[in-house]
Structures are given as C-alpha cells and as structure tokens.
Amino acid sequence: MSQWSSLLKLTGVHQDQVLGLYSHDLLPMEVRQYLAPWIESQDWKQGAKDCSLANVQFQNLLEHLDTQYSRFTQEQDMLQKHNLRRFKLTIQNQYQAKPQKLAELIRDVLRHEKQILLQAQEAQNQPGAPAPASMEVGEHWEIEQRVKEVKEKMQLLEQEVKFLEDQQETFHFKYNNFQVIVTARVNASDELLKTKRTELQEQLNELDKKRKEVLDQVKMLLGLCETLVVFLQKELNDWHIRQKLFCIGAPTNTCLTKLESWVTRSVEVLFQLRRLLLLLAELPLSISYELDPLKTDPPILEKRLLEMLCCLLKISFVVDKQPIMAYPCRRPLVLKTSTQFSVGARLLVNLPKLKNSMKVSYSIDKDPPNMKGYRGFNVLGPQPKALEDFQGQGLMVEYKHLTLKDKRIGPGGKGGKGANDGALSVLEELHIITFTTQFDYQGLKLDLEAATLPFVVISNISQFVGAWASVLWFNLLSSDPKDLTFFSKTPDAPWLLLADALSWQFSFTTKRGLNSDQLNMLEKKLCGTTPRQDSSVPWSKFAKENMPRLTFTFWTWFDATLNLVKQHLEDIWNDGHVMGFLSRSKEESLLDTKMEGTFLLRFSESIAEGGITFSWVEYQENGSPKICSVHPYTKRELSFIPLTEIIRNYQLLVQENIPENPLKYLYPNIPKDQAFGQYYEHRIEMTLEYQKYLKRKLIMVSERQDDAQDSIGPGTPQHNEVDVNSLIENLYMDQSTDQPTSQELDRYMMNADSDPMMSFTDAGIYAECFGDLQ
C-alpha cells in the first residue's frame, strides 16, 4: 500500500494532522493525490543535495502536471484545470531557478507524512495511551531510522571484516609458498622470485589498504553510535520528565516499549562491534608489518566503544513503577509507615541471556541530606530478587509488599520535630529508594543503579492531602530528581505551569479537566484580583497559609472539592453540567440576563470539606433580577440524596407556604430534565405489603428569606441565599404521588434500624414524609 493510500485511511486527530499539513498552497492536496505514485518514487532527499537531479525532477514534475491538465481538459473539469494551472505557474515563478528548494519542500512534506503514520501506528498499538505530540513523533522517527542505519552498517561491516579475513588468509598462503620456494630454490630463477616478491608486495599493499578501510568503517560506525546514544539519552531524560508529570496527573505517554527496543538493538550493535574489534586486534598475530594500523587503532577504538556502552547501560536501568500504596489512597509517592506499598524497576536491555541472572537489591536514603531532624527508615521486605521477563514485556523486578518502619533514633524520630527548630515539616521531608544490580555479559561487568522519585512518608492518613501537595510541587518544579533538600528553598510556581497541574488533578481523577474560566477564578484566588502574565504562586500560599478570612488553605479546599466531585458528582461533571469554580460576581453577570428559572452549579468557596450549590434567577414585580443560592451541599447530604434528585425534587416555599421548584433551565438554556433526566432514579411499583402505607418521597425544601426586598431598584440583581437547614413535613395523600425508589426505601429502613429517633434535619434529609398506617 502506498504512503498516500495509508494516509487516506486515517481518522480522527491523525486525519486532522494530514489536513493541517496540506492547509497551505505549497503542495496542494489534489496535486499530491493525482501524482502520488510518481512523487513517492522519487529520491527527493538526494534531489535536495544534487542540483542536476533536482532540475530533472522539476522538469518531470512539469510534464506530469501537463499530462494531468490534459486529462482535466478532456473531462471538462474547469475547477481542477484552474487549480493545476495556478500551481504550475507558482512553482515556475518560485523554483525554476532553484529546483533544489522545491525538492526540499516535497522531501519535508513526505517526511511529515511518515511521522503522522508512525504516530497513528503507535496509537493503534497502545489504545489506552494518549497520542504523543507531533514533535515527539518526529524525534521517535529519527531515532528509529538511526537504529536501523547502525544495524545495517554493522551488517555491512561484518561482511567487510569477513572479506578482510579471507584476503589475509590468501596472502598468508601465498607468502608461505613463497618462503618455501626461497628456502628450497627449486626450479626458481631470480626473475621468478622477483616477480613473486612484487606480487606479494602488491597484495600486502592491498591488505593494508583493506585494513585501513575497515578501520575507517569502524570509526564511522562509532560516530553514528555516539550520535544515537546522545539521542537515546535525550529520549530517556524526556521520559523521566514525562514520568514525573504523569505521577501528578499529566496526560502523557510513559510507555517504555519503543525505548526498550531502541536501547536493546543499540546495545546489541555495540557488543557486535566490540567482538569485531577484538577480532581485528588478533589479525596482526598472524601477519603484521611496519605501521600496521591493526596494532595501534583497535585498543583506542575499543576504549571509546566501552565508554559509550557503559553510558548506555547505566541509563537503561530505570524505576518504571514509582512507589505507591495499594490502599487507602491510590496516588504515588506518598507512603504511610507500616502500610504495604509496591515499586518496580526495569532494565531496557532485554537480552535473553540476562533473564533471571541479574539480582536486584534496594536501600532507602543511600545519601541522606545533612538536615536537622531528618528521619531514618528501614524498608521491610524480600531481597534480592531477579530480573524476570514478565509475559514478554521486558526484564523487570517488582516488589509488591514492602513496608516502611521508622528507626526512631534520637530527636528525629516520630514526633521529634519542633515547630521552630529549623527542621522541615514531615510533609516536606523527601526520601528515595535506590535499586542496585550488576550487569555481566560477554565479559563486561558493570554496577547499575536506579532511584525512585522522592516521596513523602506519613504516619497518619490525615496527612495525605498535605503530602500530595508536596509531591505535586516537587514534580512540577524540581530540575533535580534527587534533590532531597528541595523544600529548604522552595521556589515559587509560575501560574501558567500550576494551572496545568490543577487541571490535571481533575482530568486524571475524572474525564474532564478545568477550562480557562474555571482556572481564571482559581488564579484570582492565588494571585490576586489583577493577575499578570508572569504571575507566580508561593508554596506557602498554596498549601501552608490559610486563605483570607478562612480557616483552611487553598490546597485543602481544592482537594476536598475534587474528592466531592469524584465521589458524588462525577457523571454530571464529565457531562459539563457543573460550572464549578465560579465567583459570585461572575455568577450574577451570567444569570441576570437569563430566563427566570435558569440556574447553574458552582462550588462553595467557604467550606473546607468541599460543597456545591445551585443558584437561579427570578424576577421581581419591578422587573429587576434576583439571584438566589441554596446553602451548599456537602458529602454529608449527597451521601443520602444524589444532587440530580435534589435538583429534580427541590422545593422553595412561596406565598401561603406553597412549595414550587424554581429550577427550570440549566445555564444557558437547557431544560432541567433534558440535562439531568438520564440520572434520575427510576421509580418502582409498590408491592401489596408496602401499599398499606401512604406513599412518600425525599425532597429538599427551603424557606425563602427576603430581607429588604423593597429596597432593590429595577434592574439591580440581588444575591439572596436560601436556607436548607429547616425541616418541613408534607403528607402526600394523593395516590398518584411519585412512588419511592428502592434506594430511598433502603436508606430509610437502614437509618430507622440504626436510630429510630433519627433527626433528618441533622442528617441533611428534608421533608421525609409519612402517612398514618392504613
């Protein structure tokens, strides 16, 4: 299948990339379509270097355009004729005198096409992983090509060395024969000996030339390998950065399959080259001469190769699974003492002979910082363990049941840190686990080491939220993955960077991140009401100091809100029905021009445990809008009644205590039942046993609190909060009343069994309605 045919089969984001590639007029898509076979058959890479070839390609392109133009003329396709003629005139004006530029253009377009196809192939092989950026795919394509190139050069070099061996054996055989003739001088004239000696000299010259050619090829291959190792180093560094960000929720690809393939193939080439150098170093033992290059060059080249090989092997041992507890909180890099956690390491050199032969050991805080009060820990668990090939996924070792135990030595033990003793808090103290193993292959022995990212150790689960803030801050801002003193000089976070991290917390926990409006509201909380483009956030303001006029920090409130969404609001959050982070002033500006009954959902700014409220607009007799908000619901209320049921059955007492539901349209104008109908609880038919009772349902009821209503002028929105902390009983005698759900019955029976005198006001449940037993 041609490259163009494969591109036409792409869908989704990859199809968009193809369209973006041809969004300019440099090479119209219709030209690429009609001339696809010819375009793909040309060596545009060489044409960009060779002016004469580029000129031939340019003239051939014009001829193909003329041929296609004739076809459109016969088909009377005026539009295509016009487009083709315009393209021909354009390239004649721009590239007639410099056809190499056109060759470069087409070469680059074809290269970008290959990058898109490679990206699509990787996405297909890893359906759960996000598609990497086009630049990343371009680099991957470049590495893949270089790996293939050194592999091919290695095969050619092996053939050349084999030819050199044969050539040396031939010379050796003729030289021995000549020695026999010289010694015996049987039927050999001086002229014949002179001729034989001349032939041997010529063959020796050829042998010397071949040895130098082989060594030149070795040097060239070493140069290619050095460049490849630099590429692999950069890719591994990028992978470490991606892993750091992935640990705090970034949607990035941390798959090691490609990297393992590149590293393994590169190491194989280097070991092959090492064997050839050892072989070349042995050839002078049979035949040597003055200024023989094989007596001086191979040791130098082997030393250069070993440096490169050791560098690649050392960076190929990585921690691919960062420390994480199985429960109660599934976030990495926060560990609790006496609670099991897992961690894993991986060797990216996947050679069969290494399987089960390399033992891995671990230690914690190998080089602890010289800091006052720094705690010491022991890691309890099995060791050492061997690297194994887990289901063909690579050479890995995983420890699943490790635990940390506090050494409790001196004042640095648990509870030994004072508030003003100069030591870091427990939540700012970082620790590292280091894995060690020995690589032993084909006579090369090398100690390898890999370290985890710094993690925080807590002794109580209540410290988890603060510890996660430390992990987020470190992974976002630290440039040194082993800097255990990071929080002794904590840097500020640029808002643009921190905004991404806050959005990742939502996109990783749910399916929806934060939009620009939501982030703007959070920016004003952290950076002031008039943030600048280069605004930054201090660590203390983010997680240590209480927000103005409140008794909790920004991070405490943000994380609690995130947990509220995950536990009780995830479906409607993913649907985009929760406006979420929204200030009251912004809320008023959005609602005061909408239809009466329009409402929106936003998070409370004043509840530490996280809360959500709905606000709606209604119009007074004088035509002025009034914004009403219900007292926020927390996880306490939402554990009993889903927010969608609260919205569905919410009642507001109006004149003469007649209840009505003021919520009609979800902002901007979506009918309430259309937005939330799919989440309403389904009613069940009553059994004969339950029909002995009057029917009931759970609803939320608020009493209106109108203060100074008459003082509001026309057109001025009023923000009025209604109270939900009042209990009101309604008896539903009408048999057509909605049936209770099975969930409502179960909740009520469970609560009644546990506490017959339960107050539904205290539990956050309002209007629990009963009738007398029939």
Side-chain angles (χ1 to χ4, degrees), residues 382-428:
Q383 72 167 333
K385 292 182 69 175
L387 284 169
E388 300 178 5
D389 189 357
F390 287 96
Q391 300 177 350
Q393 297 180 3
L395 294 178
M396 307 176 185
V397 61
E398 185 173 7
Y399 295 90
K400 295 184 178 180
H401 306 291
L402 300 182
T403 54
L404 292 176
K405 186 174 179 60
D406 198 328
K407 289 182 179 179
R408 304 193 183 204
I409 298 176
K414 182 178 179 181
K417 295 191 177 187
N420 300 307
D421 62 2
L424 294 179
S425 75
V426 169
L427 303 183
E428 296 174 326

Side-chain angles (χ1 to χ4, degrees), residues 24 95 103 156 165 355 387 538 635:
H24 47 69
Y95 304 110
L156 293 175
E165 285 184 292
K355 180 180 177 182
L387 284 169
K635 60 183 179 181

Side-chain angles (χ1 to χ4, degrees), residues 34 143 145 162 179 210 293 321 412 448 504 596 620 640-641 671 726:
Y34 293 119
I143 295 175
Q145 298 307 307
K162 178 63 177 173
Q179 290 296 105
K210 189 63 180 180
K321 296 179 180 178
L448 305 181
W504 296 338
E596 182 163 347
Q620 304 176 91
F640 287 95
I641 307 180
S726 58

Side-chain angles (χ1 to χ4, degrees), residues 473 476-477 490-499 502 522-543 545 554:
W473 208 262
L476 194 65
L477 299 175
T490 317
D492 294 351
W495 166 250
L496 294 178
L497 193 61
L498 183 59
L502 294 178
L522 297 176
E523 182 181 12
K524 291 178 180 178
K525 271 189 170 298
L526 288 171
C527 305
T529 55
T530 56
R532 304 188 309 273
Q533 183 70 21
D534 59 346
S535 294
S536 60
V537 180
W539 164 240
S540 57
K541 192 170 185 178
F542 179 77
E545 299 173 357
F554 170 89

Side-chain angles (χ1 to χ4, degrees), residues 364-381:
I364 186 170
D365 297 332
K366 181 180 177 182
D367 299 307
N370 185 18
M371 298 173 61
K372 185 176 182 180
Y374 189 80
R375 296 174 297 166
F377 294 94
N378 291 320
V379 183
L380 306 182

Side-chain angles (χ1 to χ4, degrees), residues 15 34 72 102 135 147 149 274 315 343 502 643 718:
Q15 185 184 72
Y34 293 119
F72 289 147
L102 181 62
M135 181 180 296
V147 171
E149 184 180 7
R274 182 168 177 257
I315 64 175
V343 63
L502 294 178
L643 184 63
Q718 177 189 3

Side-chain angles (χ1 to χ4, degrees), residues 569-751:
L569 309 170
E570 185 172 3
D571 289 335
I572 60 175
W573 170 264
N574 289 337
D575 290 341
H577 295 332
V578 179
M579 197 159 289
F581 296 108
L582 185 73
S583 64
R584 284 196 172 188
S585 58
K586 182 67 174 178
E587 173 190 76
E588 291 177 353
S589 67
L590 292 176
L591 289 177
D592 63 6
T593 59
K594 294 299 179 182
M595 297 182 292
E596 182 163 347
T598 301
F599 68 99
L600 54 79
L601 305 175
R602 67 174 179 86
F603 299 134
S604 169
E605 301 178 53
S606 57
I607 298 180
E609 62 179 335
I612 188 168
T613 182
F614 45 78
S615 302
W616 68 91
V617 63
E618 51 185 57
Y619 289 88
Q620 304 176 91
E621 293 182 358
N622 60 8
S624 61
K626 179 176 66 175
I627 310 300
C628 301
S629 295
V630 73
H631 191 80
Y633 299 102
T634 65
K635 60 183 179 181
R636 186 183 183 191
E637 291 86 16
L638 299 179
S639 297
F640 287 95
I641 307 180
L643 184 63
T644 50
E645 288 300 305
I646 294 175
I647 294 172
R648 177 188 187 184
N649 298 315
Y650 180 74
Q651 303 286 313
L652 180 66
L653 297 183
V654 291
Q655 295 179 355
E656 299 179 358
N657 284 340
I658 300 174
E660 68 174 23
N661 192 331
L663 311 177
K664 297 180 175 61
Y665 306 99
L666 178 67
Y667 183 91
N669 55 5
I670 308 173
K672 174 184 64 177
D673 293 338
Q674 179 182 329
F676 301 107
Q678 62 177 316
Y679 300 114
Y680 290 163
E681 293 182 346
H682 299 293
R683 301 297 173 180
I684 62 171
E685 294 296 330
M686 296 286 286
T687 63
L688 291 175
E689 180 181 356
Y690 279 117
Q691 285 179 358
K692 295 185 295 182
Y693 300 90
L694 291 177
K695 298 172 183 178
R696 62 172 180 79
K697 64 179 177 179
L698 302 174
I699 62 173
M700 291 288 187
V701 179
S702 296
E703 289 183 337
R704 183 185 298 281
Q705 296 178 348
D706 292 333
D707 297 328
Q709 296 277 338
D710 297 336
S711 63
I712 304 299
T716 303
Q718 177 189 3
H719 203 291
N720 183 47
E721 186 171 282
V722 294
D723 183 20
V724 297
N725 292 322
S726 58
L727 172 65
I728 192 162
E729 293 187 2
N730 294 312
L731 299 182
Y732 290 85
M733 305 299 296
D734 186 355
Q735 292 297 316
S736 65
T737 302
D738 287 343
Q739 301 281 0
T741 68
S742 58
Q743 291 93 331
E744 290 168 353
L745 292 172
D746 291 341
R747 289 193 196 105
Y748 172 69
M749 296 306 294
M750 176 185 67
N751 294 328

